[in-house]
Amino acid sequence: MENKKTYYISVGAGEIMTTPSASPWQFKIQASDDEITRLRQLFDSNQANSVDDFLRAHVPFVEYHNDSTNDIHDENLMKVYEMIHQLGDAEARQHIESMGILNNFTSE
């Protein structure tokens, strides 16, 4: 079994911190190095995707629900919340469940 450490997550900022006082955070999780690497990849993917979103924003006739960059961002965000739900403490799980964000979401 891999050694798990405590991390503090800020979803909006895409931050993963090892100390609670480093920056504002919303969720506390216990994760292995591999799990944190996967979470970082999801955050990084959304950051890279934001450049495409910016470029698309200058094309006014493409609607949000017909834009593949938005689909990628939304799917990554769902995966982030799913990981936090799996790895988070009771408060994190309860908060995500109260949001209803994972209802009807199934990761691949």
Side-chain angles (χ1 to χ4, degrees):
M1 183 171 171
E2 256 188 281
N3 193 17
K4 295 199 176 206
K5 301 175 205 156
T6 301
Y7 296 93
Y8 303 89
I9 310 300
S10 174
V11 174
E15 292 181 331
I16 301 169
M17 298 158 283
T18 56
T19 57
S21 59
S23 188
W25 55 274
Q26 296 84 38
F27 301 104
K28 180 179 173 182
I29 66 170
Q30 294 286 319
S32 66
D33 290 341
D34 289 341
E35 291 163 333
I36 284 301
T37 298
R38 177 67 185 132
L39 186 58
R40 170 56 40 217
Q41 289 170 340
L42 289 169
F43 281 140
D44 289 348
S45 176
N46 268 357
Q47 181 66 25
N49 190 51
S50 68
V51 173
D52 292 335
D53 286 341
F54 173 78
L55 295 174
R56 196 261 339 133
H58 293 85
V59 182
F61 57 85
V62 178
E63 298 170 325
Y64 183 92
H65 62 280
N66 290 327
D67 185 358
S68 62
T69 62
N70 291 332
D71 294 340
I72 293 167
H73 182 274
D74 292 348
E75 185 175 326
N76 282 345
L77 191 56
M78 289 293 145
K79 288 178 181 178
V80 164
Y81 279 112
E82 182 180 46
M83 283 190 75
I84 293 170
H85 185 264
Q86 291 172 355
L87 303 171
D89 61 7
E91 186 177 345
R93 287 190 304 277
Q94 183 180 18
H95 182 76
I96 291 171
E97 289 168 10
S98 74
M99 292 168 59
I101 197 165
L102 297 180
N103 296 351
N104 302 317
F105 174 72
T106 56
S107 65
E108 298 170 7

